């Protein structure tokens, strides 16, 4: 399961600004065009130095909000107030991260670390069923990289609509003891495809189905010298246990972008597997560029191959320090029709009146597992 669809690109820069590169192509053939001025919804934002964005629905209203790390070590929160979008800075108590300060160069990543619930509605039309793609949402926790190479864990002790982030330390921090030297830049994704999907609620009219995603998230961390460190989650979605994998057990072994790697994951070619996008920092010749590694393997056996001339990011170069984030910023890729055969099967499912409720849930969960590539389970 992976973030998929018509994905746009937001890039953090060394000078603290955010570049916006819109996907004017499609989910299978993306074409990225840089937008400036009024065409860039982040045009007036400036975070000092080394901005590091991540986007997710933090207030449960169905659109993407923005969290930005920066050189000073704090986290900035900007709420998306309308779907066009418009990002408004929230300060003080209105910023759920206002007490967070990791010292220097905060680089955030969001995901359901403790498995307490990402819920997403699937809207079912009896004549032409569609699966509704929503941004990463739910009870999201936060892991933050910092200049010293460690990882700070902040659990969401609140809810999906009113988050309260509490720092966990010692044995309560599943990332405790992980250190990558300097400039840790974490990314969370289900790299080995062992996450689960189950139906949580079916409403009385059976037109809206809520899915619970048990992410079993793995961890990939960029670092000062441009490599990618992989930690496989050998626990489960509620009790993660991260174990470093090296050599052939690390699907990112051999990837080296030079300096300060900043990874992010999404399904860029719409084939149901997570692809890798890496920003480059530091002072080398590649600083400011974006590298794309297509996953030519399977969800459970990933194989990342670098794409050069055909890379949709080939012409992007910020000059210094790029930190990428991918999401559907402009809302032009939120709905995707189900394939014909699946429409028939979902329609039959919705019309079914017999059988125990638990059986109906299991049947739909299995149906959706078989078509992961059309469900936006952004983990």
């Amino acid at each position: 399961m992976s973030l998929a669809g018509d994905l746009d690109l937001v890039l953090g820069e060394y000078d603290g600004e955010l570049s916006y590169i819109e996907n004017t192509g499609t989910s299978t053939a993306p074409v990225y065009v840089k937008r400036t001025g009024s065409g860039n919804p982040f045009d007036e934002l400036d975070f000092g130095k080394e901005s590091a964005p991540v986007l997710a629905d933090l207030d449960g209203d169905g659109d993407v909000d923005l969290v930005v790390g920066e050189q000073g070590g704090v986290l900035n929160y900007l709420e998306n107030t309308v779907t066009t979008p418009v990002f408004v800075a929230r300060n003080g108590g209105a910023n759920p991260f206002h007490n967070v300060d990791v010292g220097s160069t905060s680089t955030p990543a969001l995901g359901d670390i403790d498995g307490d619930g990402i819920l997403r509605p699937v809207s079912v039309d009896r004549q032409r069923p569609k699966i509704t793609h929503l941004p990463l949402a739910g009870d999201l926790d936060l892991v933050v990289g910092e200049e010293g190479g460690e990882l700070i864990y902040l659990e969401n002790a609140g809810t999906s609509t009113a988050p309260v982030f509490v720092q966990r330390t010692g044995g309560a921090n599943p990332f405790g003891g992980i250190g990558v030297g300097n400039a840790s830049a974490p990314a969370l994704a289900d790299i080995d495809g062992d996450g689960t999907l189950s139906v949580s609620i079916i409403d009385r009219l059976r037109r809206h189905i809520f899915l619970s995603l048990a992410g079993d998230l793995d961890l990939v961390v960029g670092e000062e010298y441009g490599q990618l460190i992989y930690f496989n989650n050998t626990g489960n979605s509620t009790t993660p246990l991260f174990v470093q994998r090296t050599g052939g057990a690390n699907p990112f072994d051999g990837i080296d972008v030079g300096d300060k790697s900043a990874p992010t994951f999404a399904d860029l070619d719409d084939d149901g597997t997570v692809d890798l996008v890496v920003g480059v920092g530091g002072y080398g010749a590649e600083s400011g560029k974006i590298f794309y590694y297509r996953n030519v393997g399977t969800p459970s056996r990933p194989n990342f191959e670098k794409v050069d001339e055909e890379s949709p990011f080939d012409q992007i170069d910020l000059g210094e320090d790029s930190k990428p984030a991918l999401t559907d910023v402009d809302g032009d890729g939120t709905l995707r029709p189900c394939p014909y055969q699946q429409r028939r099967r979902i329609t039959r499912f919705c019309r079914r009146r017999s059988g125990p409720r638990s059986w109906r849930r299991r049947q739909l969960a299995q149906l959706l597992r078989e078509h992961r590539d059309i469900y936006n389970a952004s983990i």
Side-chain angles (χ1 to χ4, degrees):
M1 295 181 288
S2 61
L3 182 63
D6 186 338
L7 300 175
D8 308 301
L9 179 68
V10 182
L11 290 174
E13 303 183 29
Y14 179 76
D15 64 7
E17 297 181 354
L18 296 176
S19 291
Y20 172 50
I21 294 93
E22 181 187 354
N23 181 6
T24 60
T26 66
S27 59
T28 55
V31 177
Y32 287 95
V33 177
K34 186 173 183 178
R35 301 302 189 191
T36 59
S38 60
N40 177 7
F42 314 102
D43 183 54
E44 300 297 325
L45 304 179
D46 190 332
F47 302 97
K49 295 265 185 204
E50 299 189 64
S51 53
V54 63
L55 295 106
D57 182 8
L58 284 175
D59 53 5
D61 62 354
D63 56 31
V64 289
D65 305 300
L66 175 66
V67 180
V68 186
E70 41 102 345
Q71 190 180 64
V74 300
L75 294 174
N76 303 274
Y77 172 54
L78 295 98
E79 181 186 353
N80 185 358
T81 56
V82 294
T83 55
T84 35
V86 175
F87 293 94
V88 177
R90 301 302 187 195
N91 302 306
N95 175 6
F97 312 105
H98 74 283
N99 288 322
V100 176
D101 188 339
V102 300
S104 179
T105 318
S106 51
T107 304
L110 287 159
D112 184 13
I113 305 296
D114 55 1
D116 57 355
I118 297 179
L119 294 179
R120 289 167 190 263
V122 175
S123 297
V124 180
D125 184 298
R126 292 176 184 272
Q127 300 303 315
R128 185 177 175 81
K130 292 182 179 181
I131 289 180
T132 302
H133 285 207
L134 294 176
L136 178 61
D139 187 336
L140 299 175
D141 309 299
L142 183 73
V143 55
V144 188
E146 50 89 48
E147 184 61 30
E150 296 183 356
L151 296 174
I152 313 301
Y153 173 48
L154 297 106
E155 180 188 350
N156 182 4
T159 66
S160 60
T161 56
V164 177
F165 291 92
V166 178
Q167 184 172 345
R168 302 302 188 192
T169 59
N173 177 9
F175 309 102
I178 292 177
V180 297
N182 285 300
S184 54
L188 296 161
D190 184 9
I191 302 298
D192 55 1
D194 59 353
T196 59
L197 178 84
S198 61
V199 177
S200 294
I201 304 168
I202 302 178
D203 73 7
R204 289 174 57 193
L205 297 178
R206 280 181 282 183
R207 294 182 63 87
H208 298 282
I209 301 160
F210 288 79
L211 302 182
S212 176
L213 305 178
D216 194 346
L217 299 177
D218 305 302
L219 173 69
V220 180
V221 187
E223 50 86 54
E224 182 179 21
Y225 297 109
Q227 298 182 12
L228 297 175
I229 314 301
Y230 174 48
F231 298 87
N232 178 221
N233 183 359
T234 61
N236 53 47
S237 60
T238 57
T239 310
L241 178 62
F242 294 97
V243 176
Q244 183 173 350
R245 303 300 189 191
T246 59
N250 176 10
F252 312 100
D253 186 52
I255 294 178
D256 188 339
V257 300
D259 290 297
K260 287 191 175 182
S261 48
T264 190
F265 292 90
D267 183 3
L268 284 176
D269 53 4
D270 222 11
D271 64 350
T273 62
V274 289
D275 303 303
L276 168 67
V277 177
V278 187
V280 186
Y283 302 99
E286 308 293 350
S287 185
K289 293 184 178 180
I290 300 290
F291 293 116
Y292 171 39
Y293 296 83
R294 180 183 292 128
N295 186 354
V296 297
T298 66
S300 59
R301 293 181 178 270
N303 181 18
F304 296 94
E305 288 189 356
K306 187 178 180 182
V307 179
D308 289 316
E309 289 80 5
E310 298 178 0
S311 170
F313 311 108
D314 186 50
Q315 302 301 314
I316 297 174
D317 189 343
L318 300 182
E320 190 175 358
D321 267 23
S322 60
K323 293 181 178 178
L326 287 157
T327 193
D328 183 14
V329 174
D330 55 3
D332 61 352
T334 55
L335 288 179
R336 218 183 303 177
C338 299
Y340 174 72
Q341 186 63 28
Q342 183 165 338
R343 290 204 305 270
R344 291 182 60 191
R345 292 176 67 190
I346 291 180
T347 300
R348 287 200 300 269
F349 175 87
C350 292
R351 289 174 177 169
R352 191 183 300 276
R353 298 292 180 179
S354 61
R357 185 182 183 88
S358 60
W359 180 88
R360 296 200 301 271
R361 291 183 177 184
R362 288 197 302 271
Q363 292 295 100
L364 182 59
Q366 179 60 35
L367 173 64
L368 291 170
R369 285 192 193 97
E370 293 170 3
H371 297 275
R372 290 181 174 190
D373 58 315
I374 66 168
Y375 185 74
N376 183 8
S378 157
I379 51 180

